[in-house]
Amino acid sequence: MLTVTSVNVNGLRAAAKKGCVEWLAATAADVICLQEVRAEPAQLPDTVREPEGWHTVHAPAAAKGRAGVSLYSRREPEAVRIGFGSAEFDAAGRYAEIDLPGITVGSLYLPSGEVGTERQAEKERFMAEFLPYLAGLRERAAAGGREVLVCGDWNIAHQEADLKNWRANRKNAGFLPEERAWLSRVYEEAGYADVVRELHPGVEGPYSWWSYRGRAFDNDSGWRIDLHVATRGLAERALKAEVERAASHDLRWSDHAPVTVTYDLAGA
């Protein structure tokens, strides 16, 4: 079995002070993918930079205090790669991946975007480069008898069931028609699957992000944007998926909740 958790920590130093350290100590995950770390490794406390029993990979952004992704693995990776061969984004703290026996696991923080601004143009450039990389990654993995899992904050709600207030967000970043169509291409053209949706078909959510504003968390007015995107062979071996939603608003250590999936690799 391989249990993988993905969570946007919304600043790892802040999350560590709110309960992330205790969560990390208690998790049964074999691999953890973090996004929006927003810190250089040297700025992190030892308890989260290199916790005992974990092999860690940190890919901070060149722009201080922005983005940043990390991977934690109980097993030492066979290989580590930062970025995906992009001149613009490889130093932006947006993507890193590790090779484990039979599987490549990536941690992705796709730009959030904002309609009518350079942030949306940045998001579009990232998507344009990342889609062919995903297709090539799957092809290379298949040639070597491997599977691929890209976890992270994809910052796109694919279908109406993936966000509570979809009608009010049709012209907002994260639910734009062109963004949703791009994610469809990830599944239909690049050969990947939305693992959590396949395990929870025909239901609203399960959401993984709730705004800190208003009573979004209490009303479960959220978005499902933290995804496990896997090659078909791996997706078919997913056994269960869980959003580790906090018991109450005051117990949250991020505005996102960890998304955890257990895979049966026995037949891999």
Side-chain angles (χ1 to χ4, degrees), residues 21-252:
V21 172
E22 291 77 9
W23 171 83
L24 183 62
T27 183
D30 301 295
V31 179
I32 299 172
C33 302
L34 303 183
Q35 304 87 41
E36 205 171 355
V37 173
R38 296 207 306 258
E40 297 283 338
Q43 296 176 306
L44 298 171
D46 294 344
T47 50
V48 293
R49 183 179 66 252
E50 294 181 353
E52 186 177 353
W54 294 93
H55 299 273
T56 61
V57 174
H58 299 291
K64 306 302 182 185
R66 292 197 61 201
V69 295
S70 298
L71 289 131
Y72 292 61
S73 173
R74 296 193 189 272
R75 184 165 185 160
E76 185 175 4
E78 298 171 343
V80 173
R81 289 175 293 276
I82 306 298
F84 56 98
S86 166
E88 179 177 3
F89 295 109
D90 277 4
R94 294 289 180 181
Y95 184 73
E97 67 186 27
I98 59 175
D99 285 348
L100 297 172
I103 184 173
T104 296
V105 182
S107 182
L108 168 70
Y109 182 37
L110 197 143
S112 58
E114 184 180 353
V115 172
T117 72
E118 165 56 26
R119 293 180 62 198
Q120 191 65 26
E122 176 191 38
K123 185 175 188 177
E124 292 168 358
R125 292 194 303 272
F126 187 100
M127 293 190 299
E129 284 195 63
F130 197 57
L131 180 61
Y133 175 77
L134 285 172
L137 179 62
R138 180 191 60 78
E139 292 169 0
R140 292 190 299 275
R146 303 173 58 81
E147 301 290 352
V148 178
L149 174 62
V150 179
C151 294
D153 182 354
W154 287 69
N155 266 314
I156 300 171
H158 189 218
Q159 303 292 346
E160 294 170 2
D162 295 325
L163 70 165
K164 187 77 166 186
N165 296 321
W166 63 267
R167 289 181 179 84
N169 282 286
R170 284 176 288 187
K171 296 183 179 180
N172 291 333
F175 197 59
L176 296 174
E178 57 269 31
E179 295 173 339
R180 298 167 63 195
W182 177 85
L183 198 48
S184 291
R185 293 181 65 193
V186 171
Y187 303 138
E188 296 165 10
E189 296 179 20
Y192 289 82
D194 181 344
V195 175
V196 175
R197 175 53 69 213
E198 293 200 354
L199 287 172
H200 296 274
V203 300
E204 293 186 359
Y207 307 129
S208 59
W209 175 79
W210 303 263
S211 171
Y212 276 135
R213 293 176 293 186
R215 297 180 59 85
F217 183 79
D218 295 336
N219 297 330
D220 199 24
S221 182
W223 293 56
R224 193 178 73 88
I225 53 178
D226 301 281
L227 309 177
H228 283 235
V229 174
T231 45
R232 174 54 56 189
L234 181 63
E236 291 173 353
R237 292 196 291 273
L239 300 178
K240 61 179 180 179
E242 174 192 7
V243 175
E244 298 182 38
R245 178 187 162 99
S248 61
H249 187 283
D250 61 308
L251 295 177
R252 304 170 72 192

Side-chain angles (χ1 to χ4, degrees), residues 5-29:
T5 295
S6 183
V7 58
N8 178 319
V9 295
N10 193 24
L12 187 51
R13 285 173 291 179
K17 297 175 182 178
K18 298 177 183 177
C20 181
V21 172
E22 291 77 9
W23 171 83
L24 183 62
T27 183

